[in-house]
Amino acid sequence: MLKYQANSDENNLEIKSDKREDLNLILFLSGKTISLFGSAIYAFVVGLYLLRTTSSAFSFALNLALYTIPVVLFNPIAGVIADRFNKKILVVGSDLINGIFLSLIYLALTNFSFNLYILYFSTFVMTSLTVFFDIALESAKPSLVRESALVKINSQARVIESLSHILGPLLGGVIYSFINLEGFILINALSFLISALIEYFIDYHYNRQSEKGREDNKNLGTFIFRLKEGFYYIFRSKKLKSLVYIFVALNFFFNFTLIVPLPYLMNTIWKINPDKYGLIQAAFPVGMITGALLTEKIMDQIGYNILIRNIALISAVGVTAFAVPIILFQNTPGENLILIYYSFLMFLSGISVAWIDVPANVIIQKIVPHNILGRVLSVKMSIIKIIVPAALLISSFMIKVLEVEYLIITGAAVFLSFNLIFFNSKLGKEFIKNK
């Protein structure tokens, strides 16, 4: 009888634990959805407002730059702070301050004459706070759910991010048509406050196993040392070092081969209908959503490391398909053919990126101690942010020298060479062997 009661108590605790984990997941996804959609809609509406009111490409470009500068400046610092301080305070505080800040911007715009610099300032501050929010929430994932649910939380987070890229501009366009800028800023301020309220009820210490080593945090030394430690940790770990090499090569390849050449081909050479071009671009995040939803099932069948290697190799060969219509048709192909063919390729590209990105995040969250995870993630993100503009600049220069099809094929050949060399090297073989 006592044994039965003990088993019953254990089962009840397990059910309670499952419910708490499910609640954590729901609260995490709800808060992230509101915060991400608020930021995506804000970026679209403010950008459109600047274009319509100033008719200045420079004003629009400057606003875009203000979304990148804080990431480069504050990412490493955010990683140190996320590891050093309470993640709940950082996550909730970032959204709370964003909500209060945008409320003050609303009051400034309604009570004083419009000033362009207020919008620039609001973009910079909002993005800076979002950097701290992103790093803190990302590094908190292993504490929110059990290790077995890391694939689920990463996959579903990727779905939300992709949806915000698709629906953000659509919702922004509707909002812009019916609500003035001041009213929109007030709505966005409220969305951040609601998000902060939801995130407050997350249990940030649900999985205490992931927090081993946290007590050593007081002995990490100076702030500069902590800043460097994420970098040192990555390059001391063969698996993390391998992941960084793969991410650097993949991001350079993707931005060099597609991000510049494809819009140039569609809009400058073929001059296709903007609506069709928009649909082709939208196929990529749809592919990412599909890939993220299927990731858990795929990873049940194949190891993380093998999946990353296979997708990288297939992507290197498969991207040459983007050049096929340019080679086959001397003139511009029919717009419907372009729409169907390139939408399908962008859809597959989105799946490929999801199947590399989600497993890589799971690997990092599993092997990196909780007390240094924020710094490792911030270093990884900073390296990618530096690689992207370099790839775009080189590609934009090369497109003046090479035809688009040759640029795509060159990028594919270089990335394939990297994969063949890396995965046949000692480091690459160890990466594949060690699960």
Side-chain angles (χ1 to χ4, degrees):
M1 183 71 179
L2 289 173
K3 184 177 180 181
Y4 173 79
Q5 186 176 352
N7 288 337
S8 177
D9 290 342
E10 286 178 9
N11 290 335
N12 288 335
L13 284 172
E14 185 67 26
I15 291 169
K16 185 179 179 182
S17 181
D18 287 341
K19 287 182 178 178
R20 179 68 249 191
E21 184 180 67
D22 290 340
L23 180 60
N24 258 7
L25 191 59
I26 291 168
L27 292 171
F28 166 83
L29 294 173
S30 300
K32 190 175 181 70
T33 298
I34 295 170
S35 189
L36 268 179
F37 271 77
S39 298
I41 296 169
Y42 181 89
F44 178 85
V45 170
V46 170
L48 186 59
Y49 181 83
L50 288 170
L51 278 175
R52 292 286 178 88
T53 55
T54 66
S55 300
S56 168
F58 175 76
S59 295
F60 179 73
L62 178 59
N63 192 61
L64 285 179
L66 290 171
Y67 284 100
T68 304
I69 293 169
V71 177
V72 176
L73 288 178
F74 301 129
N75 232 343
I77 299 170
V80 174
I81 292 174
D83 290 334
R84 184 69 173 168
F85 297 101
N86 188 309
K87 290 180 176 59
K88 181 174 184 175
I89 293 174
L90 289 174
V91 171
V92 176
S94 296
D95 270 350
L96 182 63
I97 295 170
N98 247 333
I100 294 170
F101 172 73
L102 287 178
S103 300
L104 295 174
I105 294 295
Y106 165 76
L107 292 173
L109 290 175
T110 52
N111 289 286
F112 302 98
S113 59
F114 174 77
N115 189 324
L116 201 59
Y117 294 103
I118 292 178
L119 285 184
Y120 292 146
F121 178 65
S122 68
T123 296
F124 182 82
V125 172
M126 196 185 82
T127 307
S128 300
L129 289 167
T130 302
V131 168
F132 289 88
F133 170 87
D134 287 340
I135 293 293
L137 195 60
E138 193 70 24
S139 61
K141 281 179 185 175
S143 299
L144 306 184
V145 296
R146 284 168 288 195
E147 188 175 294
S148 58
L150 277 176
V151 177
K152 180 187 287 186
I153 195 171
N154 279 286
S155 300
Q156 294 183 0
R158 174 58 68 191
V159 170
I160 291 169
E161 289 165 15
S162 300
L163 278 174
S164 71
H165 291 311
I166 299 171
L167 299 179
L170 293 175
L171 293 173
V174 172
I175 289 172
Y176 188 85
S177 301
F178 293 99
I179 302 172
N180 62 20
L181 181 68
E182 292 83 356
F184 162 73
I185 289 175
L186 180 60
I187 291 172
N188 201 22
L190 292 173
S191 75
F192 277 115
L193 294 174
I194 293 168
S195 179
L197 180 64
I198 291 170
E199 290 150 2
Y200 177 80
F201 293 101
I202 296 174
D203 181 359
Y204 291 82
H205 303 291
Y206 168 80
N207 182 12
R208 293 186 179 274
Q209 291 297 314
S210 73
E211 299 184 13
K212 288 179 179 179
R214 190 181 179 97
E215 63 276 0
D216 297 329
N217 207 27
K218 294 179 181 178
N219 301 317
L220 288 176
T222 64
F223 182 84
I224 298 298
F225 176 76
R226 296 188 200 109
L227 202 61
K228 294 177 179 178
E229 197 169 16
F231 181 86
Y232 291 149
Y233 189 92
I234 284 178
F235 287 95
R236 282 198 302 263
S237 166
K238 290 181 179 179
K239 184 176 281 190
L240 289 180
K241 187 161 59 173
S242 296
L243 277 178
V244 167
Y245 289 156
I246 293 167
F247 264 100
V248 167
L250 179 68
N251 277 275
F252 186 90
F253 155 75
F254 184 76
N255 285 279
F256 177 87
T257 310
L258 294 182
I259 298 300
V260 173
L262 198 60
Y264 181 82
L265 173 67
M266 300 283 178
N267 297 295
T268 305
I269 299 176
W270 285 346
K271 295 183 171 139
I272 69 167
N273 189 297
D275 293 340
K276 287 186 170 63
Y277 173 70
L279 288 171
I280 291 168
Q281 291 294 319
F284 181 78
V286 172
M288 290 189 72
I289 292 170
T290 306
L293 292 173
L294 295 174
T295 300
E296 196 167 0
K297 291 182 180 178
I298 294 295
M299 289 170 67
D300 287 339
Q301 306 296 322
I302 185 170
Y304 304 164
N305 305 341
I306 302 294
L307 178 62
I308 290 172
R309 181 199 64 180
N310 291 350
I311 293 297
L313 286 167
I314 292 168
S315 299
V317 176
V319 78
T320 55
F322 281 89
V324 170
I326 316 171
I327 296 168
L328 290 181
F329 295 93
Q330 291 185 347
N331 299 316
T332 303
E335 285 203 351
N336 289 332
L337 174 63
I338 293 172
L339 174 63
I340 295 169
Y341 182 79
Y342 282 99
S343 292
F344 179 67
L345 290 181
M346 291 297 282
F347 176 77
L348 292 179
S349 299
I351 291 177
S352 299
V353 169
W355 282 357
I356 291 177
D357 197 32
V358 174
N361 284 336
V362 172
I363 291 173
I364 293 170
Q365 290 161 8
K366 280 187 173 182
I367 67 176
V368 178
H370 185 272
N371 64 307
I372 199 172
L373 182 57
R375 274 162 285 176
V376 170
L377 289 172
S378 67
V379 167
K380 173 200 146 193
M381 291 170 67
S382 296
I383 291 172
I384 292 170
K385 287 293 180 183
I386 293 169
I387 288 298
V388 169
L392 295 175
L393 287 172
I394 294 170
S395 183
S396 62
F397 171 76
M398 292 291 288
I399 210 166
K400 298 175 183 177
V401 180
L402 293 176
E403 299 290 341
V404 174
E405 62 270 32
Y406 297 126
L407 187 63
I408 292 172
I409 293 169
T410 300
V414 171
F415 188 54
L416 180 61
S417 300
F418 164 80
N419 282 293
L420 292 174
I421 294 169
F422 175 75
F423 287 113
N424 284 292
S425 68
K426 184 180 178 182
L427 186 64
K429 286 176 180 177
E430 286 185 19
F431 175 77
I432 297 302
K433 188 190 301 182
N434 298 324
K435 295 182 179 179

